[in-house]
Amino acid sequence: MHFTRFSIAAAALTALAACAPPGQSASSEANATGPIKIANVNAQSGQLSSLGQWEHKGVKLAVDEANKAGGINGRQIKLDLFDDQGDPTVGTNLARKIASEGYIAMLGTAESAVTLAMSPILKDAKIPSITSGQSPKLAELKSPFMFLNAPTSVTFDETLAEYLVDDKGYKDIALISNNGAYGAGEHDAFLAALKTRNVTPLADEVVTPDQKDFNANLAKIREQDPEVLFIGAEEVQSGLIAKQARELGVKAVFAGGAPVGTDVYATTAGLENAEGTVVSSPYLSNEASEEIKAFAAKYKAAYNEEARMHVAKAYDGASILIEALKQTCGEGGQKLADAIRGVKRAGLLGNYAYDANGVGIHETKIGLLKDGKVVPEAAS
Amino acid sequence: MQVFLQTLIGGVTFGAVYALVAMGFSIVYRTMGLVNFAHGSVVMIGAYAASTFYMASKLPFAVAVLVAITVTALIGLVIERFLRPLENKDFTLMLIGTIGFGAVLEAGAVLVWGATGHAVPSPVATGPIDLAGVRIPTYSLLVIAVAAAATGLLALFLQRTKRGAAMQAVAMDHQAATAVGIHVGRSNAMAFAIGAGLAALAGSLIGPMLYVNPTMGGTLGIKGFAAAMLGGFGSMPGAIVGGLAFGLLDSFAAGNFQEYSELVTFLVFAVIVMIRPTGIFGETTVNRA
């Protein structure tokens, strides 16, 4: 362990030593001048475009700051945005494009399914990427060139189950989740977390990502009268489920990952229906810490809208990449991947320390929705 | 039993909205023989228009819906005006034209309202009605009532007014209709406007039940289209029966087949259409394509 740390530090030092100002050393690298090309791939159109736009704004904020501060060793970062439309097929085409056009790193995407499709191509091209996806499948790829800027569903749901079952003593738990990449990941992770605690769910309803009417599923759940309803779906669908569940008279406490901590969830469900929802997330609110408050203010000044987790994690991811690029003097490939793995950063989402699977954050926090805002739950 | 009845209520509510979308498809199809692929996007514009007026101006919901219907009816007229030079000349281009308009409307919505979308508070404040454990949201009752009223008014218009009769005549035989002095272009324009108005009504009703965003028209359009096919494309009673049937099919499939519900819904749909290609109330008179 110490040895690896040492070797990373040594590698970083050698890299720094090689970072002579341009013109002073007869560098053998031909591409060490001109801007450093980084691709940002995120959905800018289609159903997931709101996620993609937030992610892009977060990335852009970090890159703009770095460029203003002098860039990487005097070289500016050129950030180019590509629209994957939330579609894995478009994603694979973009991955090939990025590889052929000399981008040395990729930030994105916000969709696990798209990132999963792109990853093999980027791995072959030795292009490191930092994704905003959080499906456990991303970590299972074990690609040395892929890094996550958030915990995976396993972490989200382990923390959630610990709070619900161990701390609060709930045993009557029902699940409703969709079978998309995110929902299925949530479902499996939460079910596994329940299993280790010997809790069998009262109901386990699976819906499709496009479904809007949950009367049938929720009526079945209502018959079991659970204490907790775990919702594993994206923001809007989670909100619709919560709303229809309350209309049907389901009294259970709602619980879920990051999507149920958003204003989209709260307004879709209706503030009254969303009240008390248990959220497991590494980024609970814009007021959670001094650093986050400062970041939220900076973000608001730049874009005139409120910051949120997607923005913060994209910012964290881009900052980590920039830090790594400084160590490699803008060089990409294996060297950059190793440098990213070596970055230890106290970020907005927590303390980043990458493991062999590319996961950097290993814990989340619990919050409760009050009046549409997440209030951190005091650690017990 | 409770689960069955609750599923039924969900199915009927969404079915009523699908029926309105299907009627919009059908009225354009029966008059022009054209499938308006922009219809789903017009539903979305209607949802945006109604919810924006409702939330920004604090107008009563009914007024906001009327404003939305007017706005989208105008959009319908614009689409028809653009397509008119192609009428009876190039049918494929007309079809592609409607697809193009759909994309334009979606992109326009992103420009005007942004990509994120917004949730719409329910215009009915009272809680759900509890009937022996089966809960009926009051808003669902409103949706069903408004959809039924709109259907009734449309039937009256088509059967009892001169303009409506003229539209029926164009639907049956546009050459003969021209021969007796009916302005086919005007009939088509009216069909487009009414179709768009129905789309707006469907959109404004579904807004508070869902989340209004630029891509919401996709699924609604496909399901409404499938509902129209199921009932018999071009037939107004068919659209209603098809819409309700599709809503029920969807909601019972969700309860019984979980993640395979969509697969099952469209499989059943495909089988029905294979057995009865003209749908439940298929009319052979509307075959101008």
Side-chain angles (χ1 to χ4, degrees):
Chain A
M1 191 62 207
H2 277 290
F3 178 71
T4 43
R5 280 243 177 109
F6 174 73
S7 58
I8 288 167
L13 271 177
T14 354
L16 275 174
C19 276
Q24 275 196 9
S25 74
S27 174
S28 57
E29 282 166 50
N31 59 347
T33 51
I36 297 168
K37 283 168 79 177
I38 295 178
N40 179 214
V41 180
N42 266 312
Q44 302 296 304
S45 58
Q47 197 132 29
L48 301 154
S49 54
S50 48
L51 277 187
Q53 293 185 352
W54 291 326
E55 299 277 345
H56 176 62
K57 285 175 184 163
V59 165
K60 197 168 173 306
L61 192 63
V63 170
D64 286 349
E65 278 175 8
N67 277 340
K68 240 182 231 162
I72 311 290
N73 245 25
R75 291 169 70 189
Q76 291 284 295
I77 299 168
K78 187 170 180 290
L79 183 73
D80 288 323
L81 174 65
F82 298 91
D83 178 11
D84 64 45
Q85 299 165 24
D87 180 343
T89 316
V90 179
T92 51
N93 289 337
L94 286 177
R96 288 195 192 91
K97 195 175 156 80
I98 289 166
S100 65
E101 291 184 359
Y103 289 90
I104 65 160
M106 177 188 105
L107 293 166
T109 75
E111 252 300 278
S112 299
V114 182
T115 308
L116 281 168
M118 296 175 77
S119 185
I121 301 169
L122 295 173
K123 185 181 164 190
D124 288 346
K126 294 199 184 331
I127 297 177
S129 68
I130 302 184
T131 174
S132 298
Q134 53 198 47
S135 163
K137 289 205 175 76
L138 293 167
E140 283 164 20
L141 286 179
K142 297 189 190 301
S143 162
F145 291 93
M146 177 151 74
F147 303 90
L148 278 70
N149 61 21
T152 65
S153 294
V154 175
T155 310
F156 277 87
D157 294 333
E158 176 58 32
T159 312
L160 191 58
E162 188 186 321
Y163 173 78
L164 294 170
V165 180
D166 303 349
D167 296 356
K168 290 284 164 185
Y170 292 125
K171 293 275 183 284
D172 296 341
I173 298 173
L175 273 70
I176 183 164
S177 57
N178 74 35
N179 64 338
Y182 173 73
E186 284 289 295
H187 171 264
D188 295 350
F190 190 68
L191 207 58
L194 286 183
K195 210 170 173 190
T196 59
R197 291 170 172 79
N198 287 322
V199 173
T200 317
L202 296 179
D204 182 2
E205 291 288 306
V206 179
V207 300
T208 62
D210 262 347
Q211 199 169 319
K212 308 281 191 276
D213 168 20
F214 309 97
N215 272 286
N217 310 91
L218 292 168
K220 280 202 257 173
I221 287 172
R222 185 180 59 184
E223 280 195 329
Q224 306 296 330
D225 194 20
E227 294 169 305
V228 175
L229 176 60
F230 171 81
I231 306 176
E234 286 80 358
E235 288 80 358
V236 170
Q237 196 172 42
S238 295
L240 292 176
I241 289 172
K243 178 169 150 182
Q244 292 181 20
R246 285 287 181 260
E247 278 173 356
L248 256 64
V250 173
K251 291 182 193 72
V253 172
F254 300 134
V260 301
T262 59
D263 53 348
V264 171
Y265 163 79
T267 53
T268 307
L271 296 190
E272 213 172 288
N273 296 334
E275 189 73 12
T277 299
V278 181
V279 188
S280 167
S281 169
Y283 186 92
L284 289 176
S285 76
N286 287 339
E287 284 91 40
S289 72
E290 287 309 314
E291 289 80 18
I292 289 175
K293 269 186 203 166
F295 167 76
K298 197 163 64 180
Y299 182 79
K300 181 138 199 198
Y303 297 108
N304 196 27
E305 65 175 35
E306 296 298 330
R308 57 185 72 234
M309 184 185 83
H310 294 285
V311 176
K313 67 182 188 175
Y315 181 86
D316 271 349
S319 305
I320 289 167
L321 177 64
I322 291 164
E323 210 171 312
L325 276 172
K326 280 183 182 155
Q327 288 175 20
T328 68
C329 309
E331 205 182 316
Q334 184 71 49
K335 218 169 161 186
L336 181 58
D338 291 342
I340 293 173
R341 196 166 293 112
V343 170
K344 302 273 180 289
R345 182 187 167 85
L348 299 165
L349 266 69
N351 293 319
Y352 285 86
Y354 280 103
D355 63 13
N357 299 337
V359 179
I361 291 202
H362 308 276
E363 59 172 15
T364 62
K365 303 167 194 91
I366 294 291
L368 298 178
L369 268 188
K370 292 221 157 43
D371 258 344
K373 296 253 181 272
V374 184
V375 180
E377 170 79 337
S380 52
Chain B
M1 191 61 191
Q2 269 192 11
V3 174
F4 175 82
L5 289 174
Q6 197 67 58
T7 311
L8 194 73
I9 285 161
V12 171
T13 313
F14 277 82
V17 178
Y18 295 150
L20 284 176
V21 179
M23 274 159 61
F25 269 115
S26 278
I27 195 152
V28 172
Y29 182 78
R30 60 187 275 123
T31 316
M32 296 177 71
L34 177 75
V35 181
N36 176 15
F37 282 107
H39 197 64
S41 305
V42 181
V43 174
M44 176 269 297
I45 295 284
Y48 257 120
S51 56
T52 309
F53 282 119
Y54 174 56
M55 294 193 316
S57 66
K58 307 274 175 232
L59 286 173
F61 191 63
V63 180
V65 173
L66 286 179
V67 173
I69 291 175
T70 318
V71 170
T72 49
L74 287 174
I75 294 176
L77 288 178
V78 172
I79 298 180
E80 193 278 330
R81 196 66 199 85
F82 268 92
L83 297 177
R84 198 181 285 181
L86 296 167
E87 166 80 336
N88 295 324
K89 287 202 187 85
D90 195 330
F91 193 74
T92 322
L93 269 184
M94 279 176 87
L95 271 184
I96 293 171
T98 65
I99 296 175
F101 262 104
V104 168
L105 290 177
E106 214 174 292
V110 174
L111 280 179
V112 177
W113 287 287
T116 330
H118 57 228
V120 188
S122 174
V124 186
T126 46
I129 298 164
D130 200 324
L131 272 183
V134 180
R135 306 260 257 177
I136 310 168
T138 31
Y139 187 70
S140 293
L141 292 176
L142 179 81
V143 169
I144 296 166
V146 172
T151 311
L153 280 175
L154 188 66
L156 271 182
F157 168 77
L158 287 176
Q159 281 158 15
R160 297 290 153 94
T161 68
K162 215 170 166 183
R163 279 197 189 286
M167 277 176 71
Q168 296 273 50
V170 174
M172 287 159 115
D173 187 336
H174 75 281
Q175 276 172 337
T178 317
V180 296
I182 293 169
H183 193 306
V184 174
R186 200 174 293 150
S187 272
N188 288 346
M190 196 161 345
F192 251 99
I194 294 175
L198 285 169
L201 186 61
S204 16
L205 287 177
I206 204 130
M209 288 161 66
L210 302 178
Y211 181 82
V212 178
N213 71 333
T215 49
M216 69 181 288
T219 326
L220 287 173
I222 288 170
K223 292 202 167 153
F225 181 60
M229 298 271 285
L230 194 64
F233 214 47
S235 151
M236 301 318 271
I240 300 156
V241 174
L244 289 174
F246 205 85
L248 289 173
L249 186 59
D250 219 13
S251 91
F252 279 99
N256 293 310
F257 298 99
Q258 304 278 307
E259 66 259 54
Y260 303 107
S261 61
E262 214 155 295
L263 182 77
V264 172
T265 304
F266 280 96
L267 264 179
V268 171
F269 166 72
V271 170
I272 295 176
V273 174
M274 271 165 72
I275 297 169
R276 258 191 91 83
T278 51
I280 303 167
F281 290 91
E283 294 175 18
T284 40
T285 47
V286 282
N287 197 1
R288 284 166 56 191

